[in-house]
Amino acid sequence: MTVVAEIDCECAHCGLPVAADDVDSSAVEQFCCGGCRAVWTSLHSCGLEQYYELKAREAAVRDDRRPANVTQRRFAHLERPEFVAKHVRIASDGRLSTELCVDGLHCGACVWLLEALPRLVEGLLSVRVDIGRAVALIEWEQGRVTLGEIARRFDQLGYQLLPMLDPAARENDRAIDRAWLIRLGIAAALTSNSMAVAFALYGGLFATMATPYRVFFQWASVALAIGALVGPGRIYFVNALAAIRTRTPHMDIPVALGLFAATGSGLVNTLRGTGTIYCESATALVFLLLVGRFIQYRQQRKARQDVELITTLVPAIARRRSTDGAIEEVPIEALMRGDLVEVLVGETVPCDGVLVSGVVHFDVAILTGESKPALTNAGESVWAGTRSLDQPATVVVEVSGEATRAGRLLALVADASRRRPPIVELANRMAGWFLLAVLAGSGFTAWWWWHLGSDVAIARAVALLVVTCPCALGLATPLAIASALGKAARAGVLVKGGDVLERLAKPGTIVLDKTGTLTQGRMTVTSSEGDATAFALAGALEQSSCHPIATAISRAFAPRNSTAASTSRVHERAGYGIEGEVDGQAVALGNHAFVTERYGEAPRWAKTFASSAMARAETPVYVGVDGALRGVISVGDPIRSEAQSIVAQVRSLGWNVVMCSGDQLTVARAVGRAVGLGNDEIEAGCDPERKLAFMRDRAHASPVVMVGDGVNDLAAMAAADVGVAVRNGAQSALHVADVCLAAGGLRPLVKLLSGAQRTMRAIRITLAVSIAYNATGGVLAFNGLVNPLVAAVLMPVSSLTVLWLALWLPKFDPVRRAEEVVP
Amino acid sequence: MSGIFIALPVAVMIAVAAVAAFIWAARRDQFEDLDTPPRRMLHDDVPLPSQQTEKRTLH
């Protein structure tokens, strides 16, 4: 038995390892896929090879290797009047411009490449790429080039231009961003000036300061604080009032109270010319809390934008055949029940309907998660979002758009994400208690010292209000989470929002998808037994088929020099096998039935091999040459090498592990056994709707985490407390998921779970430290020991400790390169 | 020491000017994209071959 080796050299375009069976020993450059080869060729024919130099320089900084994706679509939808009206701006001089999402951007070399395009494409005036948002601003001249041509040019280089869903909403987001920046800028300027003034005032406490100067500085400080409160700090009062009206505890109530007490007492004491002022505390609080708020807002907005992109599941354009047989491209909205639609090999079906003729294999993994292609006969249903693998298909339209199964699935996703209960963040839960404690403490202080005179009593009560600063509550949580997210990203885990970490704080149930998550999601020859020359012939024959099993066999065995073997009289029997002549020899390969009908009963060794393959949930393929059975090849979707140890590690962190698969029970159980799951921990035969129900059943056992890769997992991911998408998953899965595992394989999953626990512990420590500071400050204020100097030392020191703890404590272990498993 | 009565308002005026400049920049989207420009400036402006003769057929 021979086991096929993987990995030996790198793709000339994307740098990913080239599978051994893809290596072409006669060429200098090797490619991992056709897309990379196409892009490499077009770059060289345009004189854009400099791209690779730039990329090599970038690679030292960041590593994000992905194979190129060339679709050869026509992008006619970018020229339709509806699109133009909504997305394209026309300047007075006849220049057109639009902003489009770019898929496939990964580093600065891409920026250079796309921005160099105007020098090659006539009529294209400029391209400005924003790599952070993955958006390009494209400007072109009407009449000289069309947007469709530009998009095809991007496509040739491996970048897809996608329309943005809601340009108006983007514009609105941008305005909100600007307002935030300006608010922060003003608050920062007021704070720094207020601190400078405070410095002078504290200096005056030691050396006596002449009264006119002191009054002058006090007025300056009060003026700056009032500016901070009515300007950038206004939102705290607005929020606090709203919270009081709806009777819900909110962080902003203690904040507003502290701000008001500090500024109000400062103003009163300045007017009376006696007592102490804490105005710089108020100003600084406004700024520091705004920083925390801003970080939180950015995270939430990013999460929301990502959900927008999922409608790219079904093509926007269909190839409709009119009554006279001519083919025209129409948007899917124009499809009517009964229309005939052509689907070429490799294309996505645009509607739900019925196959008119022939026998076609469809890749239905997107809907069901089944790794094996579905054999569809004429008269049977086909679904939007599936892909034809081997034959062009003609489909009678039944429904299109939102009424299709894929459309309903997306509606389920949207619904599930809406229904997810928002979690009350730790900080907001604590705010109510904090407020009560501060109010009670300050009331008690006033009552206790009333016998010393109302002046003293009120001064001490105000000092307590000011010195007990809710800074840690407001600032620590967002900062700790932001720092954790940054560290997680460096460890190959992209987490889309802080609440995700809070949801993961307690162990619960983790649900793993099978195809593409526990397995690699690609059919590969895993082992073979028999005659190597027969396999070479089989490989040559399978080159003429698009079936995934055929692709796996031809990848593994086909002779590199494609002219060496000439195939003829190829006949493929869908669902059984393929036969034909290779170099004059009759070759046949297929399943058991296909072979017994030609060569009689298979010999014992072949049967043993086949049954052991089937026990591993793999497909045995028998190979016969010139009337004799010569070998058996086992083809399967290999389980990721790290899967078993990951399942064990996740368990050791206290999580229950369950597998939920669209495949049949036998396949699911075979994979489950291999990764160490018991039969009661496996749920097989799950279509997306059942996966969703499965998640809802477990909603009480919070938290439930869904780990998946495909569109069939989307609804379940959205319904789970946390959805996790693995790398190389469907684009839409990446958008719905709360967490994307950017580094290869499942290894980052353990880092995510343990990192989330550590982050929550960091937040608790930070909060405990800040409560200790507040208690100390409260006791000092109660005893009348707080003067502005004590407040000025205590507040920044407590803020700085909290900041330092929040930034330093959360830890995610970076993925070591050597460990990284290449998918 | 009485110079402080002039110095402080002057300092505030400078701060106001700085804030005004910041607002001006923010309104003109100077802070919109902070990731791309630092990469873009590293790209040398090498002239590309065949800028005008380029007439590849598009699929």
Side-chain angles (χ1 to χ4, degrees):
Chain A
M1 188 191 284
T2 51
V3 175
V4 177
E6 286 264 341
I7 308 169
D8 61 341
C9 62
E10 287 186 352
C11 174
H13 176 69
C14 69
L16 284 171
V18 181
D21 39 291
D22 279 341
V23 174
D24 178 358
S25 51
S26 61
V28 182
E29 287 87 18
Q30 304 296 338
F31 298 96
C32 66
C33 60
C36 285
R37 184 187 299 273
V39 172
W40 190 89
T41 316
S42 39
L43 284 178
H44 279 76
S45 68
C46 301
L48 290 167
E49 308 89 85
Q50 203 199 343
Y51 170 77
Y52 294 105
E53 274 169 50
L54 290 169
K55 196 169 161 183
R57 236 188 285 160
E58 291 258 349
V61 190
R62 186 160 162 236
D63 183 42
D64 185 7
R65 292 180 285 189
R66 262 205 289 168
N69 176 21
V70 178
T71 63
Q72 306 207 342
R73 288 220 305 241
R74 292 199 40 78
F75 295 94
H77 54 286
L78 296 182
E79 291 168 14
R80 300 193 65 83
E82 306 89 272
F83 177 85
V84 172
K86 194 171 164 197
H87 294 265
V88 177
R89 282 187 295 272
I90 303 176
S92 50
D93 54 356
R95 292 170 160 218
L96 304 178
S97 64
T98 188
E99 267 199 334
L100 292 166
C101 295
V102 188
D103 183 33
L105 282 179
H106 40 77
C107 64
C110 298
V111 175
W112 172 82
L113 181 60
L114 295 181
E115 294 188 351
L117 270 186
R119 292 189 273 172
L120 294 173
V121 179
E122 235 182 288
L124 178 59
L125 299 171
S126 76
V127 176
R128 292 297 272 186
V129 178
D130 179 340
I131 196 162
R133 294 190 303 143
V135 160
L137 174 64
I138 297 169
E139 212 182 9
W140 71 102
E141 213 174 307
Q142 195 157 25
R144 290 179 66 199
V145 72
T146 66
L147 192 55
E149 278 166 44
I150 297 169
R152 287 197 288 277
R153 207 54 191 254
F154 273 63
D155 182 44
Q156 283 173 0
L157 301 177
Y159 304 93
Q160 307 300 314
L161 283 180
L162 305 167
M164 298 211 289
L165 274 196
D166 196 347
R170 294 271 161 148
E171 206 43 56
N172 187 29
D173 279 343
R174 218 186 266 189
I176 297 176
D177 266 3
R178 273 197 292 261
W180 261 109
L181 269 179
I182 290 171
R183 210 179 288 152
L184 275 174
I186 294 174
L190 288 169
T191 304
S192 54
N193 281 284
S194 181
M195 285 297 170
V197 170
F199 216 70
L201 277 171
Y202 301 146
L205 281 179
F206 293 109
T208 45
M209 188 194 270
T211 312
Y213 296 120
R214 189 172 52 85
V215 172
F216 179 65
F217 280 123
Q218 284 189 343
W219 274 116
S221 187
V222 169
L224 288 168
I226 291 175
L229 255 58
V230 298
R234 198 174 47 223
I235 54 164
Y236 302 117
F237 294 95
V238 174
N239 290 347
L241 282 178
I244 290 168
R245 244 180 257 135
T246 56
R247 289 167 211 284
T248 45
H250 190 271
M251 251 304 289
D252 282 340
I253 301 177
V255 172
L257 194 71
L259 290 177
F260 186 75
T263 314
S265 68
L267 180 61
V268 170
N269 288 344
T270 306
L271 282 171
R272 294 191 343 191
T274 59
T276 52
I277 71 164
Y278 308 98
C279 286
E280 77 290 341
S281 305
T283 319
L285 194 58
V286 167
F287 172 63
L288 287 174
L289 290 178
L290 272 180
V291 171
R293 265 333 132 78
F294 181 60
I295 293 170
Q296 224 167 358
Y297 156 77
R298 292 283 291 227
Q299 286 168 3
Q300 283 163 357
R301 203 200 52 185
K302 186 152 186 348
R304 190 174 38 132
Q305 277 178 357
D306 284 332
V307 180
E308 276 187 5
L309 277 168
I310 59 170
T311 48
T312 52
L313 195 62
V314 175
I317 299 295
R319 241 184 278 273
R320 183 170 68 184
R321 193 196 293 168
S322 55
T323 41
D324 57 358
I327 303 288
E328 52 170 350
E329 284 190 359
V330 296
I332 52 166
E333 291 80 20
L335 288 180
M336 305 291 284
R337 198 187 163 88
D339 278 354
L340 287 179
V341 171
E342 297 263 289
V343 182
L344 301 183
V345 177
E347 265 192 349
T348 308
V349 180
C351 60
D352 282 4
V354 173
L355 188 65
V356 174
S357 61
V359 180
V360 184
H361 276 96
F362 283 98
D363 175 2
V364 292
I366 199 163
L367 285 177
T368 63
E370 248 175 275
S371 49
K372 288 183 186 163
L375 174 73
T376 310
N377 291 306
E380 289 180 340
S381 297
V382 289
W383 312 105
T386 60
R387 230 157 32 90
S388 155
L389 288 170
D390 47 5
Q391 319 263 352
T394 309
V395 176
V396 187
V397 178
E398 279 186 345
V399 286
S400 65
E402 283 163 17
T404 60
R405 202 167 153 202
R408 289 199 307 271
L409 186 60
L410 287 182
L412 277 179
V413 172
D415 179 55
S417 1
R418 254 199 314 275
R419 276 220 259 164
R420 180 146 77 184
I423 93 165
V424 182
E425 279 165 21
L426 194 57
N428 273 335
R429 278 199 307 258
M430 284 186 63
W433 294 108
F434 186 86
L435 175 65
L436 273 180
V438 168
L439 283 180
S442 133
F444 180 73
T445 309
W447 171 79
W448 185 260
W449 298 112
W450 201 257
H451 65 276
L452 294 181
S454 58
D455 269 14
V456 175
I458 288 170
R460 288 183 182 183
V462 166
L464 190 136
L465 278 182
V466 172
V467 86
T468 50
C469 150
C471 207
L473 268 87
L475 192 57
T477 319
L479 272 179
I481 284 175
S483 141
L485 298 190
K487 287 176 186 168
R490 275 196 294 277
V493 183
L494 305 176
V495 184
K496 287 202 195 141
D499 58 333
V500 172
L501 296 178
E502 263 188 60
R503 286 173 206 272
L504 289 175
K506 252 191 338 202
T509 305
I510 188 157
V511 182
L512 297 162
D513 170 49
K514 184 182 73 69
T515 313
T517 305
L518 284 172
T519 69
Q520 294 180 3
R522 182 170 107 147
M523 285 289 180
T524 309
V525 172
T526 52
S527 56
S528 58
E529 187 166 341
D531 180 0
T533 52
F535 293 150
L537 294 172
L541 179 64
E542 290 282 44
Q543 279 179 325
S544 47
S545 170
C546 294
H547 193 284
I549 289 180
T551 320
I553 292 177
S554 67
R555 253 206 329 270
F557 298 115
R560 282 304 132 205
N561 211 340
S562 52
T563 51
S566 66
T567 51
S568 59
R569 299 212 289 195
V570 179
H571 174 67
E572 195 172 353
R573 221 167 105 201
Y576 285 90
I578 186 169
E579 58 188 327
E581 278 183 14
V582 183
D583 288 342
Q585 287 172 285
V587 182
L589 60 162
N591 63 11
H592 188 253
F594 190 74
V595 168
T596 44
E597 138 190 333
R598 278 164 186 72
Y599 313 112
E601 208 43 43
R604 179 179 291 275
W605 61 266
K607 276 186 168 167
T608 320
F609 182 87
S611 58
S612 81
M614 288 199 294
R616 294 191 305 267
E618 293 175 354
T619 309
V621 179
Y622 295 85
V623 181
V625 180
D626 285 337
L629 184 68
R630 304 281 288 276
V632 192
I633 301 170
S634 176
V635 181
D637 182 5
I639 295 167
R640 289 183 195 263
S641 55
E642 75 278 19
Q644 191 179 2
S645 79
I646 294 297
V647 167
Q649 286 177 51
V650 169
R651 274 214 188 107
S652 71
L653 288 172
W655 290 77
N656 292 322
V657 185
V658 179
M659 185 175 90
C660 193
S661 167
D663 257 333
Q664 310 135 9
L665 192 61
T666 48
V667 180
R669 284 202 171 157
V671 172
R673 244 194 326 277
V675 298
L677 288 171
N679 283 351
D680 53 331
E681 292 168 312
I682 292 166
E683 192 78 12
C686 290
D687 57 9
E689 292 80 3
R690 234 181 100 193
K691 275 193 186 176
L692 178 61
F694 182 79
M695 300 308 290
R696 293 232 163 103
D697 286 349
R698 268 153 196 77
H700 55 89
S702 69
V704 187
V705 178
M706 171 78 206
V707 187
D709 71 319
V711 176
N712 60 314
D713 304 321
L714 283 185
M717 274 177 173
D721 292 299
V722 175
V724 180
V726 297
R727 173 165 152 177
N728 294 346
Q731 196 67 23
S732 41
L734 303 183
H735 290 303
V736 169
D738 302 295
V739 182
C740 299
L741 305 181
L746 286 170
R747 233 168 264 279
L749 185 64
V750 177
K751 292 175 199 302
L752 168 72
L753 298 179
S754 59
Q757 282 177 3
R758 275 196 288 268
T759 306
M760 291 320 289
R761 202 173 56 217
I763 291 176
R764 278 191 216 106
I765 293 174
T766 320
L767 289 175
V769 166
S770 108
I771 286 170
Y773 270 115
N774 279 321
T776 316
V779 170
L780 290 176
F782 177 77
N783 291 308
L785 297 171
V786 168
N787 55 32
L789 189 66
V790 172
V793 172
L794 207 58
M795 291 200 42
V797 169
S798 77
S799 299
L800 284 178
T801 327
V802 162
L803 279 183
W804 179 72
L805 285 174
L807 292 177
W808 175 73
L809 272 180
K811 285 217 164 63
F812 278 80
D813 300 331
V815 179
R816 254 160 279 132
R817 287 297 294 280
E819 280 181 18
E820 203 172 330
V821 177
V822 180
Chain B
M1 183 68 177
S2 57
I4 202 80
F5 291 118
I6 296 163
L8 194 97
V10 168
V12 170
M13 292 313 288
I14 293 172
V16 167
V19 169
F22 175 76
I23 294 175
W24 175 86
R27 290 223 169 111
R28 267 155 196 78
D29 285 344
Q30 291 294 316
F31 302 100
E32 176 77 16
D33 176 10
L34 301 177
D35 298 326
T36 324
R39 290 158 186 265
R40 193 179 282 135
M41 60 154 273
L42 292 174
H43 303 153
D44 307 319
D45 233 4
V46 181
L48 299 174
S50 65
Q51 296 202 358
Q52 295 309 313
T53 53
E54 173 63 24
K55 284 255 165 60
R56 264 165 49 88
T57 47
L58 295 153
H59 311 292

